[in-house]
Amino acid sequence: MAPKYSGPPLADIRKCFTDLVRYGLTPQSVSDRGATLMEMQIVLEKRPSLPDSATDDAHEAADMAAVLDVLTNAVDRAHIPASTDRRVLRFVLPIYDDYRGASLSARRTVAGEKIFDGDRVVSSGTIRTSYEPKALDWLGGGLVQLEA
């Protein structure tokens, strides 16, 4: 019998992803909008312990590192079956450092350029309406599986 999942509801995880995509994967956005992910045991296990005297910035950086580690592993370790979904997530969240400061529009544009290894380009609007929601759903399900 599979272990019972006791983490946050999938709908809350999915909402958290939507917020992180919208605002970018930064220490501040994880701190402000990532509380649902910070409830997950798989994230808490990756968070480095800090002394009581640590600054807010240090806590935000630790939370960001833990969330990024878990999301990267969920995307890269075959918890997302379709390569197109993995590519979308790497750019839209973004997992890649090079795209963390980029606007959401720019991240979606790059995802559209890279989704099929450059063989075919998909518009940023199609990424937003078709590919991104499905990829985020897969990511949420993957985290629930990892947490169970």
Side-chain angles (χ1 to χ4, degrees):
M1 187 159 131
K4 184 167 171 62
Y5 174 70
S6 62
L10 183 56
D12 293 353
I13 294 169
R14 183 60 175 76
K15 168 74 170 94
C16 181
F17 290 157
T18 300
D19 289 346
L20 291 177
V21 165
R22 181 175 182 195
Y23 294 99
L25 193 56
T26 66
Q28 183 177 2
S29 66
V30 169
S31 176
D32 292 347
R33 296 171 178 84
T36 300
L37 296 179
M38 296 309 301
E39 294 173 23
M40 299 185 80
Q41 194 60 39
I42 57 172
V43 174
L44 294 174
E45 289 170 357
K46 298 288 185 177
R47 190 183 189 281
S49 62
L50 297 173
D52 292 339
S53 61
T55 65
D56 283 345
D57 288 346
H59 285 282
E60 287 179 2
D63 290 349
M64 169 70 179
V67 166
L68 183 59
D69 187 16
V70 168
L71 294 179
T72 300
N73 286 329
V75 170
D76 289 343
R77 299 261 168 90
H79 297 288
I80 313 292
S83 64
T84 54
D85 293 332
R86 292 192 300 272
R87 285 191 187 108
V88 166
L89 291 168
R90 288 183 189 121
F91 292 102
V92 172
L93 274 172
I95 299 291
Y96 293 140
D97 289 339
D98 296 346
Y99 298 95
R100 290 237 178 82
S103 70
L104 177 54
S105 175
R107 296 190 321 259
R108 285 177 173 147
T109 297
V110 173
E113 293 167 355
K114 306 283 187 179
I115 192 169
F116 294 109
D117 284 335
D119 293 337
R120 189 173 99 208
V121 175
V122 174
S123 75
S124 61
T126 301
I127 292 293
R128 180 180 59 80
T129 59
S130 297
Y131 290 93
E132 187 179 303
K134 182 175 67 105
L136 293 171
D137 287 344
W138 275 110
L139 181 58
L143 288 188
V144 167
Q145 284 181 334
L146 288 170
E147 182 83 354

